[in-house]
Amino acid sequence: MSMAVGFGLLGLLAVLSGAAVFWVNSMARATYALALSFVAVGLQVLFLQQNYVGVVTILMMVMEMAIMAVYMVMFMGMNPALMPMSMVHSNKAALGIAVATFLALAAGVLLIDWPTRRGTPAPDVTAALGDALMGSKMLVMVVTSPVMVATIVAGISLAQHRTRYDRFGDDLTQRPSHDTQPGGGGR
Amino acid sequence: MPDEALRTLAPAWSAVALLILGALTVAASMLDGVLAARSHGAPNGAVRPFGEAARLMRQRRRTTVEADTLLWRTGGAGLLVVAALMVTVVPLGRWTLFDLDVGVVWFNALDVVVWALVWLTGWGANSAHSLVGGYRFLAHGLGYELPLMFALVCPAIAATSLNVGRVAAAQDGLWFAVWMPVAFVLFLLGVVAFSVWGPFSPAIGSDIAGGARAELSGVDRLVFEAGRYALLAAGAAFAVPMFLGGGAGPLLPGWLWTLVKTLVVLGLLVWLRRRVPAARPDTFMEVGWLVLLPAALLQTLVVAVVVVGRG
């Protein structure tokens, strides 16, 4: 019983702090309201015995929001988000979409014929989840990850304003390099 | 997976854990007081923290225009909470408060929360220097966090478990600090960094009028400072089961060995403050990514090869 109440309260906290993202008027508050929402969800996942998934969700999301706050403050709005600002736009369309989505999902929850449990949970549910998600697709994952890394590296290389010729000179012999931002490695 | 050798204590025992953490925090601040007094040639360094605490508790709270008080206070007070949550997974001899199967990840998640807290402390005051300090901490974070993560991965790989008790038990005879020294050093570096301590104190540096804590005064400042010492103490306590064999040792009981080792590591970290120059956030980024991270990856590779070789 107390487990169910705790799970429900965390769910409520997750939903309310998720909604707070749009009520508050500062980028910092919006970002950390979202972080709080994710922490509540991560704690809920602990209730599902998925300890690793739950704790890692908290880890990744708090880190992401800490970095996100930097970018939000830098790039959002006409003022660089250091002043109070509204977190919403296109209100009417957004309201319509939100209500329609909620109704569709809620209808799904109520109308679907939920299956009854067959069998028992695996002893290590985290391993079982990983196997179910990835087991048959490991080859695809192994092939995709180097392609993704290569895409990131290529994207950054192409987007770079300065190239190695700017840093090291036309014959790449200039040492130390000519950098606008000093590094600590002494290159 | 709970370890058979470890006994999980009733939640009420967390009061004792808090007392121990508090004692370690006070000890660290007293040692720092002694070292500070010695470097200035002043007497009575050990009581300086108490005088400072009394002064701060009587100080009137400074207010700033349009401060985001909720976020500001959350950031300042959160450090102590994070330190307290960190020590819940540290076994003291054969007792533990929270025998979590993913205790190592738990510690890691909490040290990431410090990113948010220090930045919020910097942001909340609505003061330019304070905010610059918050950003400096995040810049350091981008440099130290990944090496710290891989440093935590090494003992977990060697023990084939993320449970802190099992990691400690896996060091039967040979401490991880001995055969994975790079990971040990990087871990200690991470502890120093998330405590905003020594080389990683530019975020609260005097060149930006105190940085993230520039506008903190009175009891808020006291709680923030205590939080830094508590984080240092929690990190030192976590190093013991991860790298220094937990409670293993001759003659003394396990819990006492854990405390002795924690005190030694904590003393070392406090002492380092006056021995290591500050790491500039802009230049440390390159050190972190081009030196520390490859070193951490190589260390992880060596540990993984050893573990596979042992079968």
Side-chain angles (χ1 to χ4, degrees):
Chain A
M1 182 59 196
S2 60
M3 293 280 273
V5 171
F7 189 83
L9 285 179
L10 283 172
L12 197 65
L13 178 65
V15 172
L16 289 181
S17 50
V21 171
F22 303 98
W23 286 331
V24 295
N25 65 352
S26 106
M27 270 299 164
R29 285 196 170 199
T31 309
Y32 281 99
L34 192 52
L36 180 64
S37 180
F38 278 122
V39 169
V41 171
L43 292 175
Q44 276 194 308
V45 175
L46 294 186
F47 281 75
L48 309 176
Q49 313 289 320
Q50 295 281 8
N51 292 352
Y52 180 78
V53 180
V55 178
V56 156
T57 303
I58 297 173
L59 192 166
M60 298 311 290
M61 284 306 150
V62 172
M63 191 187 241
E64 178 162 343
M65 289 305 139
I67 297 300
M68 181 118 113
V70 176
Y71 286 101
M72 298 282 250
V73 170
M74 271 192 333
F75 295 130
M76 281 289 165
M78 299 299 284
N79 52 25
L82 289 167
M83 307 292 279
M85 59 182 287
S86 167
M87 295 292 137
V88 289
H89 61 83
S90 317
N91 294 6
K92 278 180 188 155
L95 201 62
I97 294 169
V99 169
T101 312
F102 177 80
L103 288 179
L105 292 177
V109 170
L110 295 175
L111 296 180
I112 197 167
D113 187 17
W114 291 100
T116 50
R117 164 172 284 174
R118 289 165 302 182
T120 51
D124 185 348
V125 284
T126 306
L129 177 69
D131 196 42
L133 285 174
M134 304 276 283
S136 59
K137 303 166 196 75
M138 216 51 218
L139 183 63
V140 180
M141 293 294 171
V142 168
V143 174
T144 312
S145 43
V147 173
M148 277 169 64
V149 172
T151 312
I152 293 169
V153 172
I156 291 174
S157 306
L158 291 174
Q160 245 186 351
H161 161 58
R162 286 162 56 82
T163 68
R164 58 186 171 147
Y165 296 105
D166 296 303
R167 299 184 66 229
F168 295 127
D170 290 340
D171 46 3
L172 300 177
T173 53
Q174 180 179 301
R175 293 293 186 284
S177 62
H178 180 256
D179 286 339
T180 48
Q181 168 74 37
R187 292 172 307 133
Chain B
M1 301 295 122
D3 197 303
E4 294 80 30
L6 276 181
R7 251 195 34 224
T8 306
L9 297 171
W13 285 94
S14 54
V16 176
L18 279 180
L19 278 179
I20 295 175
L21 180 66
L24 289 171
T25 305
V26 171
S29 60
M30 284 170 71
L31 175 61
D32 190 58
V34 169
L35 294 174
R38 204 171 64 179
S39 66
H40 297 131
N44 295 338
V47 295
R48 268 170 61 131
F50 300 104
E52 179 70 0
R55 183 183 73 81
L56 287 175
M57 278 200 269
R58 290 174 59 240
Q59 191 181 50
R60 180 181 290 184
R61 194 178 247 169
R62 186 189 303 173
T63 51
T64 54
V65 178
E66 293 286 324
D68 192 335
T69 313
L70 173 68
L71 298 188
W72 195 15
R73 302 270 187 272
T74 307
L79 299 183
L80 269 179
V81 178
V82 164
L85 289 174
M86 275 177 177
V87 294
T88 56
V89 292
V90 178
L92 185 66
R94 48 197 186 81
W95 305 295
T96 183
L97 279 172
F98 188 22
D99 195 17
L100 185 65
D101 55 351
V102 291
V104 177
V105 191
W106 171 263
F107 178 87
N108 201 183
L110 286 167
D111 84 58
V112 167
V113 173
V114 177
W115 287 37
L117 297 176
V118 175
W119 187 82
L120 287 174
T121 310
W123 165 270
N126 192 25
S127 139
H129 284 120
S130 184
L131 187 56
V132 171
Y135 282 128
R136 279 190 180 183
F137 185 77
L138 286 185
H140 269 148
L142 290 175
Y144 80 73
E145 189 63 45
L146 280 174
L148 171 61
M149 282 181 171
F150 282 102
L152 286 171
V153 160
C154 290
I157 293 177
T160 61
S161 171
L162 288 166
N163 177 289
V164 184
R166 293 204 163 199
V167 172
Q171 301 168 60
D172 201 16
L174 187 60
W175 292 357
F176 287 159
V178 176
W179 71 274
M180 42 183 91
V182 178
F184 182 51
V185 170
L186 289 176
F187 174 78
L188 292 185
L189 190 86
V191 172
V192 169
F194 69 62
S195 309
V196 209
W197 188 255
F200 294 93
S201 55
I204 52 170
S206 52
D207 57 330
I208 46 172
R213 62 175 181 189
E215 307 292 345
L216 285 176
S217 57
V219 76
D220 299 329
R221 193 184 187 90
L222 178 62
V223 168
F224 182 84
E225 290 303 311
R228 286 175 62 218
Y229 283 108
L231 281 174
L232 212 52
F238 196 71
V240 175
M242 289 301 277
F243 291 99
L244 301 174
L251 299 176
L252 302 178
W255 62 269
L256 197 53
W257 267 119
T258 307
L259 287 180
V260 168
K261 290 173 187 175
T262 304
L263 275 171
V264 170
V265 176
L266 184 57
L268 176 76
L269 297 181
V270 172
W271 173 79
L272 271 181
R273 176 185 180 182
R274 292 183 173 73
R275 299 288 155 186
V276 186
R280 277 179 44 180
D282 53 344
T283 54
F284 179 73
M285 188 80 80
E286 195 166 296
V287 176
W289 283 82
L290 295 183
V291 182
L292 303 183
L293 185 57
L297 286 170
L298 279 176
Q299 176 76 90
T300 313
L301 178 66
V302 169
V303 171
V305 168
V306 169
V307 169
V308 170
R310 274 195 320 214

